[in-house]
């Protein structure tokens, strides 16, 4: 028995060794293609500087879709299609304004950005006393005195979370349900401290979700400096704030997922999806969120074609519509996959910024995770050191929920992400070429391995 | 035997478990102190904005030393001393100038920075035809035609090295010995492509070492855009370049290592050194190189004091003098350690930028490396995933060479480092507060473990 096992090992180990060497060389070839001849950075420049902000339903939505189709064609996709879906159409409607109004004194302006999906204040604006709460618990304690007031949620982004996404998950509820929670007790508007560690004063917008049981009230984000200033002032005296916002939800409109494929050479019916979302908030260029994910996904396809690698399975690059304030693109993609009974073996998303990759987070069975973790030595030379349970992406989430597709999300270094997330500072200049490219390299390597060995 | 082992394991494992839990909690307390009440970023702001560039021998050398003493005192050092050493005193001597000189055409300026330790051109400057070489091999091939010419080393920073320090090691020889190699064949000056992936045009200076067998000729760095422009022009036609530099080596002067200690409570004679270097190049603020290493090292001492942690061994924070163009501070420190027969059990340096930490590189025996790698689960929550052989730091190198002290160097994410290294862009604004702090956290955790368990 022992001898047999030994003989078996002698036969298998060199084979594993050879396969690993082949994989290592292939991944090196992909990496060299991306690091030496990469198009991701230039594609991102065009998307951010020539298309710009891409709020769902805005004219740039369609300019971005046309850009995506062209970029996928130039990358060498066998086929480029678009998939239409109904999307919400929220508009900011004008410049948001706010100031601290003290009678007899000069108004002190506050730099605000209305939250996505919110209603406006009306043309006259709203002026009211401000009540600061540091948490939902404090909101409950103060609920009797909120009628006619502006609630200021000053919940701090927790610096002790080493991974900033944990601080985001911890804080984002104030943006999501804070306005309706305040409206429930009669508040007339909401100001919210941005979910960020940034040292600057840019406000960070993002979606809110109204609860239909309560009045819809205007809500806006403030940068950290203004939030601290307002909090300090409130410690000394009562403060009135004036704000004027113009948000408006128009009737649903149509947008598109843009899809480019390499058809699989052996198993064309088995689909591997890789993507990011094409829409962005309106205040910036959506460079990290999520132009980076889009151009990285396109780059994988381009690099495979450029080095002549023919995947066994169909690789689908998807630039999803409407992640930010509706998730309709991702839902539509999964719906069509289910209707057409497509076989989706894996989906990967990059939507955490174009920073140096550190790992991938998976939503996958423990057995498959173990299989994937066996690939770590092949990914480590490119900066990957974490292959762990937990992760995916908003746009590919519906694939898992509808079809049980195994998911993964790229985990880049997260320290700078919430400095610029949903703020004016999310611009092309904040993206580093090599960091962006290394993300694409890691993603391409993972896709290569999933394609070769299946999941 | 088996049963005995089992019993032994039952006894030991819970003890290990308890110790690990205690370590985990202690490191968490250190991390929270640094992430919530950190002074490193503010200290860096003062060093970079109020002291500024700190070329060895410049007036800022002494301003920086005074700053370091004060910062260490404020951090709570039991004792702050300075250790004097003779240092080289190179001055730039004026504004470096260069242009492409084409008779009858307007001069096209080139943005250059003379290399550290170089001689100047004299007040009239030098004008000569340029010979481009892509490598030392090409220099050998062209050696017959170099007399009276300006050699332009256009060796490219290799993008396929994922860790940029490997590209640096690969390319830095052109800066170090390129001028003398060219002088050997009669060249009158050297221009050199900067060792960088930066998309901008800043030249990156750094030390050169003349070989006394050949004439000392002026040498200057060019940014990547100018290097590409000059190379493209040279493909079409002969090019003359004019350059004027003013570098001069003055007689040696005196500078100081600034040292702050916490005296060990159990083994005061066993010393753990942690540091960075206080000097910087003159063109920028030396924020990443190496203001970051200085303020991180001070922060470790501050955090230990702030949470009331009393190390068993003596922790010495050293802000080394003259790393950039002489290494005299590090040599002096090791020399005194040897003379005084000090017992140095470990030395750690941060001199690779204030970016998100990824690991530590060690110069240590395989057995000790294994011991250190056993601590990985305690360091991983703070972003450390690589504990590997190979690493240390220029300033602590002499400790290893003189005394055999085990060394380690912080390995931060390296992608952005050579964008700013030795260039005007190495300023405070390029440092991210949390990334800087996380480096300090990782270093403090490692120092805590070495102090507790020895090496």
């Amino acid at each position: 028995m022992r001898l047999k096992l030994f003989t078996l090992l002698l036969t298998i180990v060199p084979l594993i060794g050879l396969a690993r060497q082949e994989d290592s060389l292939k991944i090196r070839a992909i990496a060299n293609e991306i690091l030496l001849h990469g198009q991701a950075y230039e594609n991102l420049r065009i998307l951010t500087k020539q298309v710009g902000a891409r709020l769902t339903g805005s004219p740039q939505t369609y300019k971005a879709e046309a850009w995506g189709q062209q970029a996928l064609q130039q990358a060498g996709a066998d086929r480029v299609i678009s998939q239409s879906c109904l999307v919400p159409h929220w508009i900011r409607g004008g410049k948001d304004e706010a100031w601290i109004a003290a009678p007899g004194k000069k108004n002190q302006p506050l730099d605000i950005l209305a939250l996505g999906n919110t209603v406006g204040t009306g043309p006259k604006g709203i002026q009211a006393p401000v009540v600061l709460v540091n948490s939902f618990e404090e909101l409950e304690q103060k609920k009797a005195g909120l009628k006619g007031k502006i609630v200021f949620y000053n919940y701090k982004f927790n610096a002790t979370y080493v991974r900033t996404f944990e601080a985001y998950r911890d804080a984002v509820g104030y943006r999501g349900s804070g306005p309706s929670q305040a409206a429930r007790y009669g508040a007339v508007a909401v100001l919210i401290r941005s979910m960020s560690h940034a040292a600057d004063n840019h406000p960070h917008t993002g979606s809110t979700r109204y609860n239909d049981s309560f009045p819809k009230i205007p809500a806006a984000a403030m940068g950290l400096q203004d939030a601290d200033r307002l909090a300090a002032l409130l410690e000394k005296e009562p403060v009135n704030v004036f704000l004027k916002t113009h948000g408006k939800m128009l009737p649903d409109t149509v947008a598109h997922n843009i899809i480019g494929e390499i058809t699989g050479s052996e198993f064309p019916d088995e689909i591997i999806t890789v993507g990011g979302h094409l829409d962005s908030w309106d205040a910036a260029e959506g460079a990290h969120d999520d132009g980076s994910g889009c151009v990285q996904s396109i780059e994988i396809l381009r690099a495979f074609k450029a080095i002549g690698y023919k995947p066994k399975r169909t690789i689908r690059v998807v630039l999803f519509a409407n992640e930010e304030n509706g998730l309709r693109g991702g839902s539509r993609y999964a719906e069509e996959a289910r209707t057409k009974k497509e076989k989706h073996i894996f989906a990967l998303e990059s939507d955490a910024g174009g920073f140096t990759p550190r790992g991938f987070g998976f939503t996958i069975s423990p057995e498959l995770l173990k299989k994937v973790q066996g690939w770590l030595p092949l990914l480590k030379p490119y900066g990957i050191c974490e292959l762990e349970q937990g992760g995916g992406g908003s746009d590919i989430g519906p694939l898992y929920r509808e079809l049980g597709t195994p998911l993964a999300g790229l985990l880049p270094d997260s320290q700078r992400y919430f400095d610029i997330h949903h703020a004016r500072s999310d611009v092309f200049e904040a993206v580093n070429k090599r960091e962006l490219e290394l993300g694409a390299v890691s993603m391409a390597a993972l896709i290569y391995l999933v394609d070769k060995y299946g999941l």
Side-chain angles (χ1 to χ4, degrees), chain A residues 157-159 164 193-204 222-228 414-426:
Chain A
F157 214 51
N158 190 332
T164 58
R193 182 186 183 90
S194 289
M195 275 120 249
S196 178
H197 288 306
D200 61 39
N201 192 42
H202 294 306
H204 298 238
M222 271 190 303
L224 271 52
Q225 291 174 9
D226 273 359
D228 286 340
S414 72
Q415 298 312 318
R416 294 180 188 227
Y417 189 62
F418 290 99
D419 289 359
I420 52 85
H421 179 247
H422 297 181
R424 293 180 201 114
S425 42
D426 184 8

Side-chain angles (χ1 to χ4, degrees), chain A residues 15 61 126 145 199 285 350 353 365 405 408 414 426:
Chain A
L15 281 178
T61 304
I126 288 174
E285 296 170 359
S350 166
S365 71
T405 308
S414 72
D426 184 8

Side-chain angles (χ1 to χ4, degrees), chain A residues 278-346:
Chain A
L278 200 47
D279 65 317
S280 80
W281 285 105
D282 57 325
E285 296 170 359
H288 279 289
D289 186 12
D290 183 26
S292 291
C294 292
V295 300
Q296 286 171 326
S297 301
I298 295 168
E299 184 68 4
I300 295 166
L301 192 151
R302 190 198 67 75
F304 280 3
K305 282 281 173 176
I307 67 161
Y309 175 69
K310 295 189 192 346
K312 295 200 271 190
R313 295 167 166 91
T314 291
I315 311 290
R316 255 202 212 158
V317 175
V318 186
L319 315 178
F320 291 97
N322 181 234
E323 189 268 349
E324 293 293 0
N325 66 334
L327 215 62
R328 301 277 185 88
S331 304
R332 176 75 184 85
Y333 184 71
E335 183 196 313
E336 186 155 324
R338 197 192 43 185
T339 313
K340 290 188 172 172
K341 299 195 194 316
E342 288 175 349
K343 189 173 176 192
H344 285 259
I345 71 153
F346 181 58

